[in-house]
């Protein structure tokens, strides 16, 4: 509904099943914390997502795989692992949504977030009457960082008076999360060429543009003089290009243009 109304951009939502309450606690708890005596193993869980699940989704569906278009969200204890994914792996996830985070279940990780420098990520936080004090404490810490998270800039906080720790209450707040994490104003324009630098097994460029049109990839070392480097024919899939000069140049800039 939000997509049809032009409020949020198009997304592919991937839900990951859980086996039991014990495995849920283990997988959703960052390493270093152990609620109910269960050692957190979110590092292994997130490794599975990054190395196995996400590549599978990117291969089978028409995704924008870059971190600027990839976000994670969770509710209750799932909010803990969602924050862990964005906080420790911002090269993969740059947006995180959290409904009523059970942050008291991961005190060591939450303390680390409060102590460490700001990440370049978007954060959505909410709660009803449930876990309100923990959510407010995290919000206050994020806006006190230097530089700070700016409310309605990189941070949105919502307090739903009277709501409880219920799935239907989480769902009623989901539009506020989705419209903030991926507003339609950030939807990519398919008619404009896009250039992304990918750091994975070396540096390469990923270029996409209007199918059927030609383009030129240019590079520069000073942002003043640009030289044509490669001609590109845009198709239905992005084009990956490696530049051996990145290993020797002190700095290298790129741009893609169309006629």
């Amino acid at each position: 509904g939000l997509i049809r109304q032009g409020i949020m951009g198009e997304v592919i939502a991937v839900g990951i099943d859980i086996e039991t309450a014990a495995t849920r606690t283990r997988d959703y708890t960052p390493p270093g914390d152990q609620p109910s005596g269960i050692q957190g193993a979110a590092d292994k869980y997130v490794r599975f997502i990054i190395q196995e699940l996400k590549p599978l989704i990117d291969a089978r569906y028409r995704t924008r795989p870059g971190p600027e278009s990839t976000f994670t969200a969770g509710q209750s204890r799932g909010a803990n692992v969602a924050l862990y994914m964005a906080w420790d792996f911002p090269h993969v996830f740059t947006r995180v949504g959290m409904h009523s985070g059970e942050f008291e279940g991961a005190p060591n990780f939450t303390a680390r977030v409060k102590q460490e420098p700001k990440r370049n990520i978007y954060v959505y936080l909410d709660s009803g009457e449930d876990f309100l004090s923990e959510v407010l404490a995290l919000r206050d810490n994020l806006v006190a960082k230097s530089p700070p998270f700016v409310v309605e800039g990189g941070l949105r906080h919502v307090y739903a008076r009277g709501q409880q720790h219920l799935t239907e209450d989480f769902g009623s707040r989901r539009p506020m999360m989705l419209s903030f994490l991926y507003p339609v104003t950030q939807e990519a324009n398919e008619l404009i060429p896009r250039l992304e630098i990918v750091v994975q097994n070396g540096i390469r460029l990923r270029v996409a543009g209007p199918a059927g049109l030609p383009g030129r990839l240019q590079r520069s070392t000073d942002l003043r003089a640009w030289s044509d480097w490669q001609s590109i024919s845009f198709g239905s899939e992005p084009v990956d290009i490696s530049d051996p000069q990145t290993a020797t140049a002190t700095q290298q800039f790129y741009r893609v243009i169309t006629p």
Side-chain angles (χ1 to χ4, degrees), residues 7 36 40 53 77 94 99 102 122 148 158 166 177 211 232-233 239:
I7 295 174
S36 305
L53 180 58
R77 190 161 283 165
T94 58
H99 294 310
E102 192 180 340
Y122 286 86
V158 172
L166 301 170
M177 177 188 77
I232 299 170
S233 294
V239 178

Side-chain angles (χ1 to χ4, degrees), residues 32-53:
D33 283 303
Q34 46 179 348
S36 305
I38 299 175
Q39 292 284 349
D43 53 333
K44 297 181 177 63
Y45 178 67
V46 176
R47 190 183 311 137
F48 152 72
I49 294 173
I50 293 175
Q51 296 181 358
E52 298 183 44
L53 180 58

Side-chain angles (χ1 to χ4, degrees), residues 54 58 61-72 89-95 182 188 194-200 204 206 238 240:
K54 186 178 183 301
D58 289 336
Y61 299 93
R62 188 169 176 264
T63 65
R64 298 188 182 104
E68 71 284 348
S69 301
T70 306
F71 66 84
T72 177
F89 305 90
H91 63 289
V92 180
F93 311 97
T94 58
R95 303 160 194 252
Y182 198 46
R194 302 188 307 278
L195 174 63
E196 175 188 356
I197 295 180
V198 180
V199 181
Q200 180 180 329
R204 70 179 187 275
R206 179 168 294 154
D240 282 2

Side-chain angles (χ1 to χ4, degrees), residues 126-199:
D126 75 21
S127 77
E129 307 303 331
D130 52 332
F131 302 118
L132 177 59
S133 60
E134 290 87 354
V135 171
L136 290 177
L138 179 58
R139 179 206 64 184
D140 291 346
N141 176 268
L142 294 177
V143 299
K145 289 186 181 295
S146 181
F149 280 87
V150 178
V151 175
E152 291 304 312
L155 170 69
R156 171 174 288 181
H157 170 252
V158 172
Y159 164 52
R161 185 183 299 274
Q163 290 196 351
Q164 303 301 321
H165 206 69
L166 301 170
T167 299
E168 52 266 35
D169 287 348
F170 301 151
S172 71
R173 305 196 295 266
R174 196 147 298 137
M176 292 181 280
M177 177 188 77
L178 294 171
S179 62
F180 174 71
L181 291 182
Y182 198 46
V184 72
T185 53
Q186 295 187 18
E187 179 73 89
N189 187 339
E190 299 296 345
L191 299 179
I192 299 176
R194 302 188 307 278
L195 174 63
E196 175 188 356
I197 295 180
V198 180
V199 181

